[in-house]
Amino acid sequence: MWQVRVAPCGDFDNHPFQSNHFGVEPLAAAMGAEITGVRLTELSDEGIESLKHALWKHKMVYLVDQNLTHAEHAAFSRRLGPFAIDAYTQGTPEERDVHPIIKEADEVTPSLFGGGWHTDSPFLEEPPSITTLRQIEGPPYGGDTTWTNTALAFKHLSPTFQAMLRPLKVWMSARNNFATQEFLRGAAISFGDVTKQEQGLKGSVHPFVRKHPVTGEEALYICDTYAAGIDGMTTHEAKPLIDFLVQHTTQHAFTCRLRWKPGMFCMWDNAATMHLGPNDYDGFRREMYRTTIAGGVPR
Ligand code: SIN
């Protein structure tokens, strides 16, 4: 007899982070929160520290009606830490570290930037810690970004499975993503920079279970797009384990979904989440801008 799969329960704790600088309205049971009553451009240094702690707790936080310029987006991002290397995109002419993600209304593509479950650039030795994203223009419906809480997903594994995973190292590489893009487009693609391309394909080996650099919280470092193997295992051993952990982590219970409005701003913690931006709004324009903040080597 097998146990049938039941929805995970227990260990859900998305109660609002308390701050003297802003309000917090949780978005879903698993993760995510709206930050209210503040303009990002007016936060004091203490307010920024408090916002970072709200982010570590809720994993993704967002604010409505911010309407930042590229310069304000860059200036706010710099207060979170130095910029990370962006592995794929080119910045705007005005602000080189503010990267456009734009899909035009008449653009139809088999695969969109960020359209599969992923954590940002885990193939780098030092992947970005935080990503920020804002919307200028969006579809009337569709184009929602969804995140999943990989710390909560780890908590919902049995102690035996957790203990098995802790010593393992996951190999993160862009090679399967590259091959898929070439297959879908029927043509060779490139990162646009040979060194970045070589680094992306070679990838990096990271702990499968990482400890958050600030809170010490354990989270799965799993990625549907970039996890390409497990150190010391054959493909046939590693693939079912990676597939199971992607399936486990992306189940509905651990996620939250953001319906964007122009002027919104959001940020997420790449050490404890995966996310995706779906390719479901053909016929509408979506104009977004993002920055990534440097992170250290995952431990
Ligand atoms: C991303 O993966 O960084 C982009 C997500 C989105 O466009 O919603």
Side-chain angles (χ1 to χ4, degrees):
M1 184 189 73
W2 295 104
Q3 292 168 16
V4 298
R5 219 186 296 270
V6 292
C9 59
D11 283 326
F12 284 70
D13 172 21
N14 202 32
H15 71 264
F17 176 81
Q18 298 299 311
S19 173
N20 295 328
H21 303 270
F22 45 78
V24 177
E25 305 269 352
L27 176 65
M31 64 173 296
E34 180 178 348
I35 303 295
T36 61
V38 74
R39 276 199 55 74
L40 286 173
T41 49
E42 287 164 11
L43 272 174
S44 63
D45 289 347
E46 276 181 11
I48 293 277
E49 270 315 295
S50 190
L51 185 63
K52 284 191 197 169
H53 284 278
L55 178 62
W56 310 145
K57 168 152 184 61
H58 294 290
K59 320 295 193 230
M60 182 283 284
V61 296
Y62 67 98
L63 302 92
V64 300
D65 295 334
Q66 296 294 305
N67 298 305
L68 299 190
T69 62
H70 294 338
E72 287 170 335
H73 190 168
F76 170 76
S77 302
R78 266 186 221 104
R79 297 182 77 191
L80 300 173
F83 288 112
I85 298 164
D86 197 290
Y88 288 119
T89 54
Q90 302 294 325
T92 63
E94 310 93 295
E95 290 290 345
R96 287 183 43 247
D97 293 297
V98 174
H99 296 252
I101 305 179
I102 301 174
K103 182 171 176 289
E104 299 295 348
D106 61 0
E107 188 183 341
V108 177
T109 172
S111 170
L112 193 62
F113 178 88
W117 281 109
H118 66 285
T119 174
D120 285 330
S121 306
F123 43 79
L124 299 176
E125 263 170 55
E126 297 190 359
S129 53
I130 299 170
T131 301
T132 75
L133 187 66
R134 72 183 216 272
Q135 182 171 83
I136 300 285
E137 184 181 349
Y141 54 89
D144 301 353
T145 310
T146 301
W147 290 263
T148 189
N149 180 342
T150 59
L152 188 60
F154 182 68
K155 279 195 189 129
H156 280 88
L157 292 167
S158 66
T160 307
F161 210 93
Q162 290 177 339
M164 181 185 78
L165 293 178
R166 275 194 190 96
L168 298 181
K169 306 257 187 217
V170 59
W171 175 43
M172 300 286 198
S173 158
R175 58 185 281 164
N176 294 334
N177 187 34
F178 244 61
T180 307
Q181 302 302 325
E182 293 192 340
F183 171 77
L184 290 172
R185 287 161 209 270
I189 56 156
S190 125
F191 270 78
D193 174 320
V194 175
T195 316
K196 280 186 182 176
Q197 181 152 333
E198 279 170 6
Q199 169 61 53
L201 295 176
K202 178 167 164 270
S204 299
V205 171
H206 293 304
F208 220 156
V209 180
R210 61 181 291 185
K211 284 208 171 101
H212 194 278
V214 179
T215 65
E217 186 180 37
E218 289 183 303
L220 286 167
Y221 202 35
I222 181 70
C223 183
D224 198 22
T225 305
Y226 300 119
I230 298 175
D231 201 28
M233 286 193 189
T234 65
T235 304
H236 290 101
E237 291 165 341
K239 191 160 186 320
L241 190 48
I242 289 172
D243 286 347
F244 163 70
L245 287 171
V246 167
Q247 181 201 41
H248 169 72
T249 304
T250 56
Q251 61 186 300
H252 176 257
F254 303 138
T255 67
C256 73
R257 177 170 178 146
L258 184 64
R259 185 162 191 181
W260 287 93
K261 287 201 184 80
M264 263 188 178
F265 183 96
C266 98
M267 48 202 270
W268 62 87
D269 179 359
N270 283 302
T273 56
M274 275 201 291
H275 63 279
L276 70 77
N279 188 6
D280 63 357
Y281 51 92
D282 287 352
F284 298 109
R285 186 168 195 274
R286 186 172 186 263
E287 179 179 355
M288 317 288 286
Y289 291 90
R290 75 175 209 154
T291 66
T292 49
I293 310 303
V297 175
R299 309 257 177 227

